[in-house]
C-alpha cells in the first residue's frame, strides 16, 4: 500500500502518542506547523527576503558588467557603485 504525504501526516497526528516514535514525529510536525504559521503571519518578512535576493543578483550583474567594461577597483568602482545607490534613494 502506498499512502500520500497528507495521509501519512494524518496517521501520525492521530496515532498513539505514548509510543516514542509517534511522540517524536508529532513534536516535529507541531514545530513545523509553528514555523509555517510564523511565515504566514508575517508575509512582509518573506517579501524582504525575496527583494534582498533580487538586489544581490543585481549587484552581481552590475559587478560583472563593470568588470567587462574594464573598470577596476582603482578606477573608482566604489564611486560608480555608490552613485547608482544614491540615484535609487532620491
Amino acid at each position: 500500500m502506498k499512502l500520500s504525504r497528507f495521509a501519512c501526516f494524518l496517521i501520525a497526528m492521530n496515532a498513539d502518542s505514548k509510543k516514542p516514535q509517534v511522540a517524536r514525529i508529532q513534536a516535529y510536525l507541531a514545530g513545523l506547523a509553528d514555523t509555517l504559521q510564523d511565515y504566514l503571519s508575517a508575509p512582509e518578512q518573506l517579501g524582504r527576503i525575496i527583494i534582498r535576493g533580487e538586489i544581490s543578483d543585481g549587484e552581481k550583474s552590475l559587478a560583472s558588467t563593470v568588470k567587462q567594461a574594464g573598470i577596476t577597483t582603482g578606477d573608482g568602482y566604489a564611486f560608480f557603485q555608490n552613485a547608482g545607490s544614491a540615484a535609487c534613494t532620491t
Side-chain angles (χ1 to χ4, degrees):
M1 181 182 294
K2 187 174 182 178
L3 300 173
S4 70
R5 183 180 295 175
F6 185 67
C8 292
F9 171 79
L10 289 176
I11 291 168
M13 291 308 294
N14 292 299
D16 184 8
S17 61
K18 294 176 187 169
K19 296 180 180 179
Q21 300 92 338
V22 174
R24 279 196 308 266
I25 192 66
Q26 286 179 345
Y28 170 78
L29 292 173
L32 189 62
D34 284 342
T35 301
L36 180 60
Q37 182 63 36
D38 290 344
Y39 283 120
L40 294 176
S41 66
E44 66 278 356
Q45 295 297 330
L46 185 58
R48 286 182 61 220
I49 292 169
I50 292 170
I51 290 169
R52 283 175 48 193
E54 290 172 354
I55 290 172
S56 178
D57 291 344
E59 290 289 328
K60 289 175 187 173
S61 176
L62 174 65
S64 174
T65 303
V66 168
K67 185 177 180 179
Q68 288 176 358
I71 298 173
T72 62
T73 306
D75 292 334
Y77 173 72
F79 177 77
F80 174 77
Q81 188 176 26
N82 289 339
S85 297
C88 292
T89 60
T90 57

